[in-house]
Amino acid sequence: MGEISIFLWDDRKVNINAGVTFYELIKQFDSRLAQEALAVNINGVKKDLLEKPQDQDKIEVITYQSEEGKEIFFHSSSHIMAQAVQELYPGTKIAIGPAIEEGFYYDFDSEHTFSPEDFPLIEKKMKELIKRNLAFQKKTLPKEEAIDLFRERKEVYKVELLQEISDNLVTIYQQGDFVDLCRGPHIPSTKRIKAFKLLSVAGAYWHGDEKNKMLQRIYGISFDSKNALEKYLHLLEEAKRRDHRKIGKELDLFSFHEEGVGFPFFHPKGMIIRNLLEDYWREEHRKRGYQEIKTPIILNKALWVQSGHWDHYQENMYFTKIDDEDFAVKPMNCPGGILVYKSRLHSYKELPLRIAELGLVHRHELSGVLHGLFRVRSFTQDDAHLYMMPSQIKEEIQNLIEFEGFFYRTFGFEYDIELSTKPENAMGSNEVWDRAITNLKDALDSKGIVYKINEGDGAFYGPKIDFHLKDCLGRKWQCGTIQLDFLMPENFDLYYINAQGEKERPVMVHRTIMGSLERFIGILIEQFAGALPAWLAPIQVKLLPIAERHIEYGRKLGKILSEQNIRVELDENNEKIGAKIRKAEIQKIPYMLIFGDQEVDKKTVNIRKRSEGDTGDAPLEQFIEEINREIKLKSLPNAG
C-alpha cells in the first residue's frame, strides 16, 4: 500500500500509509489525543474516526471539549438509548433522536407508556450496551435499498423520512443489532460514553404537527467523565431550588390557571416587580432620547399581509372577526409602530427617531412547550423601533449594544453576542440581506466585540444581533435583540424628507432588551433564588415586634418608612420572634427591623440583613439613609 501526505492538527505535514484510519493516524502521533478523539474535521466536513484520510487532508481532531464534539457525543448517546429501549420494549418504533444544546432526546412510538420509573431499567440496559463496546459502523446505501431495509424492520417513521429525502444515496449507522438512518458522524464505539443520565419524558407530535400522532420523547444527557455528571446533577438540584414557578408561588408573585393556559396572572407583589422594571426601563430610555407609544392589540388582516406576518408567521397568531372582517391579535409590535411613524411627515433632521413601546403581544405556543414565565402565550415585549438614515446605522447599532450591556450589568449578568443570518423562510433578496449583515458586522467589528455567527437564525425580515445572558448557574438565556430591517420600510413605503427636499427611504431597527418582561422576571427570580435586590423586592423591610406591647412602636416606624417610599410590612401576629424571623426569611425580605423594650426606650431598631444576619442596633434615620443608598445604587445581593 502506498503513502499519502496529510497535515496534522499542529500543521505538520507528514507521510502515512494510505490504508490507516483517522483513529490509527491520531494514535500514531499522539496516543493520549486518540483516547479523547471523537471524530475529525476535514476541510469543514466532519468524519468518523473509522474512515480513512485522503491525500492532502488537513486533520482537525474533534473532542468532547468542543461544541461540535458534544453534539456528536450526545447524538451517539441518543442511539444507545434508542437501542436500549428497543431491546427492553420490543415493537417500539423509533422516529428522530438528535443532539440538543444540553443533551439529547429520542422520540418513540411504543405500546408502553414511559415514565421516570422506567429510567433505571433503561439506564441499566444502556450501561450493558456501553460495556459491550459496540462499534458505530457507517454504511452507504441506495435510497431504495434503505427503504426496503427499514420497511422490513417495520420502522415506518424512517421509511417516511427516506421518502422525503431527494438524495439517491443515504447513510445508516449500526451498533450491534440496532440500525438507524443517520448522516453522522458518531463516536467510534459505545465505550466512549463514560457517564449519562435520563432526565425526563414528554409528548411530542411527529414532525411537530399536532395533526400527527403523539410520540413519547425521552430526554437525557451524557458526559466524558463521572465527575462531570455529578457536577451537572448538582446544578440540576440547584436549578430546582431556584425554579421560578415554585418561588413565584411561595412568594405570591404570579399564578397560572386552567381558564387561561399559558397566560400568566400577576399578583400584587408580582406587579410591584413589573412596575419597578418598567419604571427603570422608561427612565433609561428617556435619558437616551426615546419617545414612548402604545398601539392596539388587535389590527386588521391587511396590515399583517403587508408586513409579511400573514405569510411567514401565521401559525403563531390568533385571529378574530370584527364587522365581518378578519383581524389578528398582534404577535409583534412593529406593524403598529410603523403606522405611528406614517401618521405624519418626517424630516431628516429628526433622525435617528427612537420610538419605544412596552407592548402586550400574543403568540400561539403548543401546550407541550409552555413553561412558567419562560414560555407563555401572552407577554409584554420591551420594544423599540428606530428609524434612521443609512449613514447613521453604525453609530446607532453601537449605541444599542452599549445600552443593552449597561442594562444587563445592572442585574449582574454577563452575556455573549451572536449574529444571526438569513433563515429559510426569509423575505427579500440575497443582496438586501448581504447589505444588512455587512452593516451589523461592521458595527461589531469596529468596536472589537467578540461574537459568534448563528447561521440561518435571523428574523424573516432581517439579520439580528442576539444577547445571551449567562446566569449564576452558567445557563444561557436569549433576551435582547437588535434587528436591522431594510424590508419593512419598503413594504410600508416609509420615507423621510432629505436635505434636498426629496423623499428618501429610512432604515429600520427593531430592538428589545429584556425581550419578554415576563421571561426576564422569571430569569431574575432564578438568578437570585427569589432574594431580589432591595430596590426590586416587593417588601423591602419587615417590622418584627418582640411582644404585643411593641406593635404601636412598629406602626410608627411603618408610617415613617412608608413616607420615605420604602415598602414595609408590620408582623402583628402573636408569635415568638424566632417564628417571625423564619417567616420573613422564607419570604426573602432584604431587611428585618426587630424591636423590644430596649429599642422602644432608645428609639432604635435592631437590624437583621438578609445576606448577613444581625448587624446591630441603629437609629431609624441611619437605617433609612443606608437602605435609600442601596436602593438608589441598585446594589446587588449575592446570587442566592
Side-chain angles (χ1 to χ4, degrees):
M1 185 154 309
E3 288 191 339
I4 57 172
S5 294
I6 57 99
F7 295 87
L8 297 179
W9 43 94
D10 58 6
D11 291 330
R12 278 184 292 162
K13 186 176 183 180
V14 296
N15 294 330
I16 59 166
N17 291 330
V20 302
T21 65
F22 286 113
Y23 174 73
E24 291 166 334
L25 162 65
I26 299 166
K27 189 176 181 182
Q28 180 181 338
F29 291 94
D30 190 333
S31 59
R32 183 175 176 180
L33 183 60
Q35 294 307 307
E36 296 177 1
L38 302 177
V40 290
N41 195 327
I42 308 297
N43 304 321
V45 179
K46 293 188 279 290
K47 294 188 176 184
D48 295 295
L49 290 180
L50 301 181
E51 295 185 65
K52 296 176 182 179
Q54 303 295 314
D55 192 45
Q56 302 302 310
D57 274 352
K58 170 76 170 70
I59 316 294
E60 293 177 40
V61 180
I62 299 173
T63 69
Y64 183 83
Q65 305 312 314
S66 66
E67 284 188 24
E68 53 189 2
K70 286 185 177 66
E71 183 181 355
I72 293 165
F73 199 85
F74 293 156
H75 192 186
S76 301
S77 303
S78 79
H79 281 223
I80 296 170
M81 178 178 71
Q83 182 180 7
V85 167
Q86 287 199 319
E87 287 193 15
L88 288 168
Y89 307 99
T92 296
K93 297 176 180 61
I94 54 175
I96 59 169
I100 53 178
E101 189 172 352
E102 279 205 7
F104 57 89
Y105 68 77
Y106 220 112
D107 289 344
F108 300 103
D109 182 355
S110 179
E111 290 183 4
H112 179 78
T113 301
F114 294 106
S115 74
E117 284 70 39
D118 297 314
F119 291 173
L121 184 62
I122 299 171
E123 288 172 345
K124 183 180 178 184
K125 177 58 73 172
M126 289 175 70
K127 286 175 183 173
E128 288 177 21
L129 297 173
I130 289 167
K131 197 172 180 180
R132 283 187 220 166
N133 194 20
L134 303 171
F136 280 84
Q137 297 175 311
K138 179 181 178 181
K139 295 179 183 176
T140 302
L141 301 175
K143 184 172 86 168
E144 291 306 317
E145 189 177 327
I147 288 174
D148 290 341
L149 170 68
F150 285 106
R151 195 169 272 149
E152 184 181 331
R153 296 175 71 91
K154 299 182 179 173
E155 295 289 5
V156 293
Y157 298 99
K158 299 299 178 183
V159 171
E160 187 176 329
L161 287 171
L162 280 161
Q163 289 169 338
E164 294 167 358
I165 292 172
S166 58
D167 300 339
N168 292 323
L169 290 175
V170 297
T171 56
I172 64 169
Y173 277 82
Q174 182 167 356
Q175 80 260 13
D177 296 327
F178 179 78
V179 180
D180 203 350
L181 173 69
C182 188
R183 289 191 180 93
H186 281 283
I187 58 177
S189 73
T190 58
K191 77 171 182 180
R192 289 298 185 92
I193 308 296
K194 302 300 182 187
F196 62 89
K197 184 72 178 172
L198 300 186
L199 301 173
S200 62
V201 61
Y205 293 108
W206 171 236
H207 277 330
D209 188 339
E210 56 191 352
K211 294 176 185 154
N212 290 336
K213 185 169 185 177
M214 174 73 81
L215 306 176
Q216 298 182 76
R217 177 172 294 177
I218 299 178
Y219 288 91
I221 194 163
S222 54
F223 296 91
D224 63 344
S225 73
K226 289 182 179 178
N227 185 46
L229 173 61
E230 286 170 6
K231 284 183 180 177
Y232 178 80
L233 294 177
H234 172 72
L235 284 178
L236 273 189
E237 288 304 310
E238 185 62 15
K240 284 180 186 175
R241 182 177 79 85
R242 294 169 179 269
D243 190 322
H244 74 283
R245 295 167 298 180
K246 173 174 149 291
I247 292 173
K249 186 175 182 179
E250 290 170 352
L251 301 188
D252 194 24
L253 303 178
F254 58 85
S255 59
F256 289 89
H257 301 274
E258 287 301 315
E259 292 82 354
V261 175
F263 300 97
F265 290 71
F266 275 84
H267 299 192
K269 288 180 180 178
M271 282 304 299
I272 291 172
I273 299 170
R274 281 187 68 109
N275 289 334
L276 287 165
L277 285 171
E278 288 187 11
D279 290 346
Y280 177 57
W281 182 91
R282 286 190 170 99
E283 177 189 343
E284 293 303 326
H285 280 74
R286 277 195 299 269
K287 289 178 185 176
R288 292 164 177 80
Y290 285 78
Q291 303 171 60
E292 188 176 359
I293 63 170
K294 179 68 74 177
T295 61
I297 291 174
I298 300 174
L299 292 163
N300 194 284
K301 170 186 173 180
L303 179 72
W304 304 107
V305 171
Q306 190 175 4
S307 69
H309 288 85
W310 198 266
D311 291 331
H312 296 268
Y313 207 75
Q314 191 176 149
E315 69 276 8
N316 296 103
M317 296 169 68
Y318 295 113
F319 308 97
T320 188
K321 276 190 178 290
I322 302 174
D323 298 332
D324 294 326
E325 287 193 45
D326 290 322
F327 281 73
V329 181
K330 68 176 178 181
M332 297 179 188
N333 296 307
C334 35
I338 286 171
L339 294 183
V340 173
Y341 179 89
K342 287 191 63 144
S343 65
R344 67 176 180 84
L345 202 61
H346 297 278
S347 162
Y348 73 97
K349 294 179 181 179
E350 296 177 65
L351 305 184
L353 184 63
R354 305 179 184 105
I355 305 293
E357 178 177 14
L358 287 163
L360 180 64
V361 298
H362 290 72
R363 297 180 185 177
H364 178 60
E365 300 281 3
L366 296 175
S367 58
V369 301
L370 298 173
H371 181 76
L373 296 178
F374 291 160
R375 199 74 176 263
V376 291
R377 287 171 170 163
S378 72
F379 57 93
T380 301
Q381 204 163 36
D382 66 317
D383 262 325
H385 296 99
L386 295 85
Y387 305 89
M388 66 199 71
M389 296 182 283
S391 61
Q392 296 170 321
I393 292 174
K394 182 176 177 179
E395 184 178 356
E396 278 303 295
I397 296 295
Q398 290 176 342
N399 288 341
L400 288 171
I401 293 169
E402 175 53 38
F403 187 8
E404 303 240 1
F406 168 85
F407 198 91
Y408 300 142
R409 287 191 293 274
T410 300
F411 303 95
F413 287 118
E414 297 177 1
Y415 58 89
D416 295 325
I417 290 176
E418 289 188 0
L419 174 58
S420 299
T421 59
K422 185 179 181 183
E424 286 185 14
N425 69 336
M427 293 167 56
S429 66
N430 286 334
E431 181 187 353
V432 169
W433 274 83
D434 289 344
R435 182 156 55 108
I437 291 168
T438 299
N439 272 281
L440 291 182
K441 279 185 175 177
D442 185 37
L444 290 163
D445 292 339
S446 64
K447 290 280 282 186
I449 294 169
V450 176
Y451 62 94
K452 173 186 166 187
I453 299 287
N454 190 3
E455 294 288 356
D457 202 39
F460 68 83
Y461 47 78
K464 60 194 176 94
I465 295 170
D466 289 328
F467 293 77
H468 295 261
L469 305 193
K470 186 177 178 182
D471 71 11
C472 61
L473 298 184
R475 299 173 301 181
K476 290 190 177 178
W477 308 92
Q478 199 272 304
C479 289
T481 185
I482 300 168
Q483 302 171 355
L484 187 57
D485 184 359
F486 289 93
L487 295 170
M488 290 285 182
E490 194 74 38
N491 289 353
F492 283 91
D493 191 26
L494 303 186
Y495 62 88
Y496 61 91
I497 304 302
N498 65 19
Q500 290 73 45
E502 299 165 338
K503 289 183 179 180
E504 196 162 329
R505 191 78 70 209
V507 177
M508 186 175 176
V509 169
H510 311 246
R511 187 240 61 197
T512 66
I513 298 178
M514 292 182 283
S516 154
L517 182 58
E518 289 76 3
R519 186 164 175 265
F520 196 75
I521 289 171
I523 293 169
L524 287 178
I525 291 170
E526 299 207 358
Q527 169 77 351
F528 297 107
L532 294 169
W535 73 276
L536 267 182
I539 303 300
Q540 295 167 318
V541 178
K542 193 80 168 185
L543 300 174
L544 305 180
I546 290 175
E548 190 174 350
R549 64 182 177 275
H550 306 127
I551 289 176
E552 189 56 39
Y553 181 66
R555 288 172 181 159
K556 290 176 184 176
L557 295 176
K559 186 173 185 295
I560 295 168
L561 290 166
S562 294
E563 287 170 352
Q564 290 289 319
N565 293 318
I566 295 168
R567 296 182 293 280
V568 59
E569 271 188 359
L570 173 64
D571 188 339
E572 298 189 26
N573 291 317
N574 186 21
E575 296 174 319
K576 290 184 177 179
I577 192 64
K580 290 182 179 183
I581 290 172
R582 281 193 295 276
K583 277 199 307 182
E585 286 175 341
I586 289 169
Q587 288 297 300
K588 316 279 188 183
I589 292 169
Y591 287 95
M592 290 169 249
L593 301 186
I594 303 166
F595 41 90
D597 292 338
Q598 186 177 332
E599 286 78 20
V600 172
D601 290 342
K602 292 166 56 181
K603 293 187 169 44
T604 61
V605 288
N606 189 287
I607 303 167
R608 185 179 179 89
K609 193 171 183 181
R610 180 177 57 196
S611 57
E612 298 174 18
D614 290 328
T615 61
D617 275 9
L620 184 64
E621 294 77 13
Q622 181 182 325
F623 170 73
I624 289 173
E625 186 180 330
E626 288 175 4
I627 191 174
N628 276 335
R629 187 187 308 116
E630 185 176 340
I631 292 166
K632 183 179 179 181
L633 294 175
K634 296 182 172 58
S635 301
L636 294 171
N638 296 326

